[in-house]
Amino acid sequence: MTLASRKILLVVSGSVAAYKALELTRLLRRAGAEVMPILTAGGARFVTREALAGISGSRVHDDLWAAEAEIGHIRLARWPDLVVVAPASANLLARMAHGLADDLAATVLLATRAKVLAAPAMNPAMWAHPATAANVATLASRGVGFAGPAEGAMAEPEAGLGRLAEPSDILAAIEALLAAGPLAGRHVIVTSGPTQEPIDPVRYIANRSSGKQGHAIAAALAALGARVTLVSGPVAIPDPPGVATRRIATAREMLAAVEAALPADAAIFAAAVADFRPEAAPTQKIKKQPGAPPPEIRLALNPDILATIATHPTQRPRLVIGFAAETEQVIDHARAKRQRKGCDWIVANDVSGDVMGGAENAVHLVTADGVEDWPRLPKEEVARRLALRIAQGLAP
Ligand code: C5P
């Protein structure tokens, strides 16, 4: 019973995926939570209030003025430990971002002081629209958590992001937000993925990092109750549930996003940051000149994000962890790197095999006290062990 007696206000808005709110309700109740549903007019087109009432075992609130007479929107807003919006339609996200209070759901979302988790579901074009992206960024900057959307089959035969996250993934995000894990109340920053350094408007320098390890670390930290800010370069994997993800492209943008996320109790730098960037990125595409030699690209040094944060004069996190991807003398190089960068721990791995992009990783944890050799493990398990060690490291 991971959610025993936790109170969840479940807002169901208009999307074909609204039927999955019934499965989510069932999972929440099985985990011990109390669920009170709010159904928007759009939501009621896809799922009946009777079905929601039956599965939640609660009254379903769907009308601002009726709720006013019975319980009042302020009491509804004060009731939950967490407000979950699943599915969150493009329209409801827009109304939330703009602070509208034009129905019961929007009014309660404006009045609540509880944490809000939104699980978007919409057509991929609507999700990709800059208006939705701006609304999501606004909501994320105010602390709204997001679970999904995911990729996969949808009502329309259209590919892309927009499918409602699976109810079990939404449940995991809810548990991560509510569980009083050993990292509850801690803020941890994680970097992940590659960076892209523009050569011109169409070309860039990047690397083969998939973001799997960094994303798994962010998810594992959230599962232990931490508030996690994940700063990620361009990757093809979804944002981890229950984590505030900031997407950037260049190393300099990554540094700015990490600095903006400070203060933090710990920071884990798992990204494969480009050491160099093209010194000048012309605004026009570099053209092939007949008869002329190929252009030379001069490189400039990128900031070292790990070293910058590890030596931060005022806001150094208590625990700063770097990664060392090496192809030889793994441990000696990692020891030297720990000293040179001023970080507390180095997670060292041998990348001569298929680690970059692969599913498994064999790492050595280098600390001031020595070296721990971990067996070859799935990246999720490396992440889980590292998150537990971080919880120990931050314990009072
Ligand atoms: O020096 P090297 O690139 O091998 O160091 C790897 C570690 O430093 C990783 O934790 C990586 O995320 C971090 N790093 C960084 N900024 C850079 C280069 C590396 O944060 N510009």
Side-chain angles (χ1 to χ4, degrees):
M1 296 287 254
T2 49
L3 296 173
S5 10
R6 305 312 294 267
K7 300 191 184 77
I8 306 223
L9 197 63
L10 176 65
V11 177
V12 180
S13 67
S15 150
V16 189
Y19 73 94
K20 288 194 191 166
L22 298 174
E23 172 65 2
L24 177 62
T25 304
R26 193 182 68 76
L27 294 176
L28 286 168
R29 291 201 71 200
R30 202 173 65 183
E34 264 183 74
V35 182
M36 197 187 290
I38 293 183
L39 188 58
T40 69
R45 296 275 175 158
F46 297 97
V47 66
T48 67
R49 71 201 306 276
E50 286 73 17
L52 262 180
I55 292 182
S56 66
S58 157
R59 240 203 97 82
V60 175
H61 300 276
D62 55 5
D63 182 83
L64 180 58
W65 304 108
E68 223 43 51
E70 290 160 15
I71 170 165
H73 66 275
I74 297 298
R75 272 179 61 201
L76 257 179
R78 282 194 188 140
W79 177 78
D81 296 312
L82 178 72
V83 182
V84 177
V85 188
S89 64
N91 179 44
L92 183 52
L93 290 175
R95 292 192 288 140
M96 287 165 72
H98 292 275
L100 298 192
D102 53 352
D103 70 356
L104 180 63
T107 306
V108 168
L109 282 159
L110 194 59
T112 193
R113 292 202 174 93
K115 172 100 187 156
V116 177
L117 176 76
M122 65 197 70
N123 163 278
M126 292 170 84
W127 175 252
H129 196 287
T132 304
N135 291 334
V136 168
T138 300
L139 292 170
S141 73
R142 290 184 197 142
V144 171
F146 284 87
E151 234 170 321
M154 280 185 288
E156 306 98 7
E158 213 172 315
L161 281 177
R163 177 185 159 96
L164 182 69
E166 287 307 316
S168 56
D169 287 340
I170 303 174
L171 177 73
I174 293 169
E175 285 172 339
L177 282 173
L178 286 181
L183 286 172
R186 305 282 189 197
H187 177 218
V188 186
I189 300 171
V190 181
T191 68
S192 184
T195 60
Q196 285 181 355
E197 307 293 337
I199 296 170
D200 66 16
V202 295
R203 306 179 177 100
Y204 56 81
I205 297 177
N207 60 67
R208 296 186 195 285
S209 168
S210 65
K212 277 184 197 153
Q213 186 63 80
H215 279 52
I217 291 167
L221 290 162
L224 295 186
R227 178 166 74 81
V228 182
T229 305
L230 173 64
V231 181
S232 175
V235 293
I237 56 176
D239 296 349
V243 166
T245 304
R246 311 268 179 272
R247 287 164 182 265
I248 52 76
T250 68
R252 289 186 293 176
E253 288 165 3
M254 183 172 271
L255 176 59
V258 168
E259 285 178 326
L262 290 172
D265 298 283
I268 299 102
F269 295 93
V273 184
D275 292 322
F276 313 106
R277 66 172 182 278
E279 196 175 56
T283 51
Q284 305 297 328
K285 186 181 166 198
I286 302 171
K287 302 294 271 185
K288 202 158 47 174
Q289 304 291 353
E296 290 192 2
I297 299 173
R298 279 185 62 88
L299 297 176
L301 202 57
N302 264 334
D304 188 313
I305 304 165
L306 167 61
T308 306
I309 301 302
T311 58
H312 199 287
T314 52
Q315 292 193 299
R316 185 194 194 275
R318 196 139 65 79
L319 193 56
V320 176
I321 306 173
F323 272 67
E326 307 286 353
T327 53
E328 48 159 8
Q329 297 181 50
V330 175
I331 291 173
D332 284 349
H333 285 162
R335 281 211 180 94
K337 194 167 287 179
R338 198 183 80 82
Q339 301 277 348
R340 195 171 65 242
K341 302 241 189 181
C343 60
D344 301 294
W345 300 350
I346 285 275
V347 181
N349 52 2
D350 188 337
V351 291
S352 46
D354 70 341
V355 164
M356 279 198 146
E360 291 191 336
N361 207 353
V363 307
H364 313 270
L365 183 65
V366 181
T367 71
D369 302 330
V371 182
E372 289 173 28
D373 301 313
W374 293 4
R376 190 175 172 86
L377 295 166
K379 287 183 174 171
E380 288 75 21
E381 183 57 21
V382 171
R384 215 181 57 81
R385 288 194 187 199
L386 186 63
L388 285 170
R389 290 286 275 112
I390 291 167
Q392 281 172 6
L394 290 178

